[in-house]
Amino acid sequence: MRFEKWDLAPSKVVHRNGNKLRLEQNGRVFIGPIPWSFDYVRDVELTAPTRIRSVIVGGSLASGEVITDLKRQGDATHISYRSEAVMGVWVPLGISEAVIRQQVLDQLGQMRDEMVRRRGLR
């Protein structure tokens, strides 16, 4: 099973205090012709230039945390991404942890490819 289409609204900063942000975001994912709506509120802490940490504080997820670490290695940057989430709402049948994991990996790969393309390395 694959997610066929994502309708993801831009995230909105609803509060900012120094290196801390509160973001809201919502969207829909289509599994075939069936839409599944979601939303979340997350608190984000930026530790420039090495770490971004966000924690779910509301919305469709009961809990969640994402940590992105950035490490300079010569003329490249190594990006480490860790995400854990617990759904707080019903998830359509057939959407397993493996399906969600593969979708996230696909999206991260697409973002990586786009960054490389923009840098002109390919």
Side-chain angles (χ1 to χ4, degrees):
M1 172 171 291
R2 305 283 304 157
F3 298 143
E4 300 297 325
K5 178 182 170 191
W6 284 83
D7 283 334
L8 188 61
S11 58
K12 177 181 173 185
V13 177
V14 295
H15 180 74
R16 182 177 194 131
N17 184 9
N19 67 331
K20 296 181 180 181
L21 312 168
R22 177 158 285 184
L23 303 177
E24 292 179 350
Q25 190 164 39
N26 62 65
R28 292 184 310 172
V29 62
F30 288 82
I31 302 103
I34 302 167
W36 178 60
S37 296
F38 61 90
D39 68 316
Y40 59 78
V41 178
R42 66 174 69 229
D43 285 341
V44 179
E45 183 175 3
L46 308 171
T47 308
T50 60
R51 175 173 274 200
I52 302 166
R53 178 178 180 263
S54 68
V55 177
I56 297 293
V57 295
S60 303
L61 297 174
S63 64
E65 178 180 51
V66 175
I67 296 175
T68 305
D69 287 309
L70 308 165
K71 184 176 181 182
R72 192 89 173 142
Q73 294 180 334
D75 62 348
T77 301
H78 176 78
I79 301 171
S80 171
Y81 179 88
R82 183 178 65 86
S83 175
E84 294 183 18
V86 176
M87 295 305 298
V89 297
W90 174 82
V91 177
L93 294 175
I95 299 183
S96 67
E97 180 179 324
V99 169
I100 294 171
R101 179 183 296 116
Q102 187 59 52
Q103 186 66 35
V104 170
L105 287 172
D106 289 350
Q107 288 179 343
L108 290 171
Q110 290 170 9
M111 285 191 293
R112 179 202 58 227
D113 293 346
E114 179 62 13
M115 286 186 273
V116 169
R117 185 191 70 76
R118 288 183 184 198
R119 180 127 191 245
L121 295 178
R122 284 195 184 166

